[in-house]
Amino acid sequence: MEKNVLRVVFHVSNLEQIARMQNNVNNLFKEDASAVISVVINGEAVTRFTKGNDTKLNPKATYYLCHNSLMANQISTDDLLEGTVVTPSGVYRLALLQNEGYHYIKV
């Protein structure tokens, strides 16, 4: 019998949630290395995913940054951390991922 792949999307919108999200992503991969993890970042949290910040990305996860939030915070896509993906709307990306069977976790 084929094992179902665990798919999880973390939603981060506040600065104080970033460290907890990083721990949760790392811990989830420790439990299940085959999990598929996406992180959707919107609101003020996008400001921590720019060059010069100490935010560490787990290379096995996909990090989506909300374009609307980037514009609201006057952040150019040229200033983003390597390994992030810009999505037109964070909330729309959340809905799409949940529609694909991802389990939603608000950090």
Side-chain angles (χ1 to χ4, degrees), residues 1-80:
M1 184 179 217
E2 186 176 315
K3 179 185 170 195
N4 288 334
V5 175
L6 179 63
R7 295 181 297 196
V8 176
V9 58
F10 289 97
H11 177 203
V12 180
S13 57
N14 298 315
L15 295 173
E16 60 271 5
Q17 298 168 330
I18 294 171
R20 185 168 54 241
M21 172 274 295
Q22 291 171 309
N23 289 334
N24 287 336
V25 167
N26 293 333
N27 288 337
L28 205 152
F29 278 130
K30 284 179 190 173
E31 292 292 325
D32 185 350
S34 67
V36 177
I37 300 176
S38 291
V39 181
V40 176
I41 303 108
N42 67 345
E44 68 179 358
V46 297
T47 62
R48 287 285 304 278
F49 291 82
T50 56
K51 296 172 185 168
N53 280 303
D54 63 349
T55 303
K56 302 284 188 250
L57 304 181
N58 186 310
K60 296 192 293 186
T62 303
Y63 295 83
Y64 292 101
L65 298 175
C66 173
H67 184 262
N68 295 325
S69 296
L70 293 171
M71 294 301 97
N73 286 280
Q74 301 175 336
I75 298 172
S76 167
T77 56
D78 294 335
D79 295 330
L80 299 178

Side-chain angles (χ1 to χ4, degrees), residues 84-99:
T84 58
V85 178
V86 176
T87 188
S89 167
V91 293
Y92 185 66
R93 177 63 57 184
L94 286 168
L96 287 175
L97 291 169
Q98 289 178 80
N99 193 51

